[in-house]
Structures are given as structure tokens and as C-alpha cells.
Amino acid sequence: MTAPADIAIQGPAPRTLAQAARERRDIVSGQVMDEAALVRFVAGPDGAVVPDLARKLPGRGMWVAADRASVAAAAKKGLFARSAKAKLSASPDLPDQVEALLRRRVLDGLGLAKRAGDLISGFEKVAAALSAGKAAWLIEAADGAADGRRKISNVARKSPNPPQVLGLFTAEELGLALGGENVIHTAFLAGRGAGRWTEDVRKLAGFSPLLPESWREEKPSQAGGT
């Protein structure tokens, strides 16, 4: 059916002011991107480039795509100094610094989610959440037993809402973040909290695989960003 002659064919909807406010230019590629896909950096008091994952540090922000290659290129090619029009030093290990900060941020986010009631742990509770389609993420300890992982993965595969999967942290790391011991199976329930946390996980995926290589044939679904 053709459109009536007096009705204009609409093109792409214009960006809202809120969307435009969240967009920044990547100093490496020159592309304008949503802040959710970028890492903010600022100049420290000593002239060193400092990652600002929370986007709250004072000073003019310099934005780089959230992946290891882009951050390494920005540091190596002097793009931070060029963007700031000032003498700045960027450490060669800047991508490693960002990865370490993102790992800490993701773990801290799990602790906050537990206190908010958005996180559950334990095989039976996690399996129930998966079966009900309530889990946005299945978080498995990287050093958990393969048999238990296969069992919970089978449940996840049959879920009406298959979760994304994270297997980056050890049981000890998860235990420290969640205030427990030997944390193996965890689910992040779907909701606004999971959405915010996912933004950090996707950034982390640009610096580190979210699943051990040995899991590739076991995972219920492709983890976000990998």
C-alpha cells in the first residue's frame, strides 16, 4: 500500500536532546558515540592521563572507545595530548589500568546488587530464576566444577529468556564481593539494576574475554560484547 500523497514519508527520527547529551567523540576514530560505549579520561594534577570510569572527575573529558586497542592507540600516538592541547603523559599500561578498574567496578556492582535484592546465589535458587526467565545474567565462578556448570547451563538453555553469561571471576573473588564463601552460581535478576551493570560489563568485554576459552562449547548463550 502506498502512502497518501499528502502524507510525507518520515525518515529516521531525530535524536532527542537527552540522546545527544549522552554522545561524545572518540578521539581515536573521530566517531560520535554514546557514552555507554566509551571510557572517559582526564588530565591528572601531574599531567598524567587518568581513567574516569564514573565520569565524575573534574576537568575536560577525553573519550575513547571502550576496547583495549583503542586505548592503546590513544596512548601510543599521543592523542590525549592532542585532544587536550596540552602536554600529557599516557602510561603504556593504560589499557591494563582500565581493565583493572572495570573489573573492580563490575565486582562492586555485584555487591550493590545483592544488597538491593537483585542478585541471588546457590544452584537451586539460580536454577529457579532461570527456569522462570527472570535472570538477565548467569554469573559462574571461573574455577567452578565443570559438572555443576554444565547442569546450570542446561537449565539456562531452556529458559524462556536465556541469560547472558559471565565467567570472569573466581569463586574467591565472587565471595569477597558478595560477602560469602565459595560462591559458584549467581544470577543477576532482570531489571534496571541489571541494565546499568551490563553497561560496565560490555566495556570490560573490550579488554578481557568474559568467558574462559575452555567454556566455549559449554556456554548457554554468547556473553555480551564478546
Side-chain angles (χ1 to χ4, degrees), residues 150-218:
R150 280 192 293 268
K151 289 178 180 177
I152 203 71
S153 294
N154 286 335
V155 178
R157 289 189 186 98
K158 299 174 183 177
S159 172
N161 181 32
Q164 298 184 81
V165 185
L166 177 67
L168 187 59
F169 304 111
T170 65
E172 181 179 4
E173 288 175 307
L174 292 173
L176 288 173
L178 303 181
E181 292 184 4
N182 200 32
V183 177
I184 304 297
H185 312 288
T186 301
F188 204 133
L189 302 179
R192 293 178 63 184
R196 292 189 295 268
W197 184 76
T198 296
E199 180 180 315
D200 288 326
V201 178
R202 286 177 176 162
K203 288 181 180 179
L204 181 55
F207 295 85
S208 174
L210 299 184
L211 299 176
E213 186 63 33
S214 60
W215 290 20
R216 293 300 169 179
E217 296 182 0
E218 300 177 7

Side-chain angles (χ1 to χ4, degrees), residues 73-205:
K76 184 177 181 180
K77 297 179 180 180
L79 300 183
F80 291 109
R82 183 185 304 175
S83 175
K85 297 181 174 59
K87 186 176 181 180
L88 297 178
S89 61
S91 173
D93 72 344
L94 193 59
D96 293 331
Q97 293 180 32
V98 175
E99 179 184 347
L101 290 170
L102 282 169
R103 285 177 64 98
R104 183 71 262 162
R105 187 174 173 88
V106 168
L107 282 170
D108 288 346
L110 290 177
L112 291 173
K114 182 180 180 182
R115 291 191 286 276
D118 293 332
L119 208 72
I120 55 175
S121 298
F123 186 94
E124 297 300 332
K125 291 181 179 179
V126 170
L130 291 170
S131 296
K134 295 181 178 180
W137 282 87
L138 172 61
I139 303 154
E140 288 287 294
D143 52 352
D147 183 57
R149 185 167 60 251
R150 280 192 293 268
K151 289 178 180 177
I152 203 71
S153 294
N154 286 335
V155 178
R157 289 189 186 98
K158 299 174 183 177
S159 172
N161 181 32
Q164 298 184 81
V165 185
L166 177 67
L168 187 59
F169 304 111
T170 65
E172 181 179 4
E173 288 175 307
L174 292 173
L176 288 173
L178 303 181
E181 292 184 4
N182 200 32
V183 177
I184 304 297
H185 312 288
T186 301
F188 204 133
L189 302 179
R192 293 178 63 184
R196 292 189 295 268
W197 184 76
T198 296
E199 180 180 315
D200 288 326
V201 178
R202 286 177 176 162
K203 288 181 180 179
L204 181 55

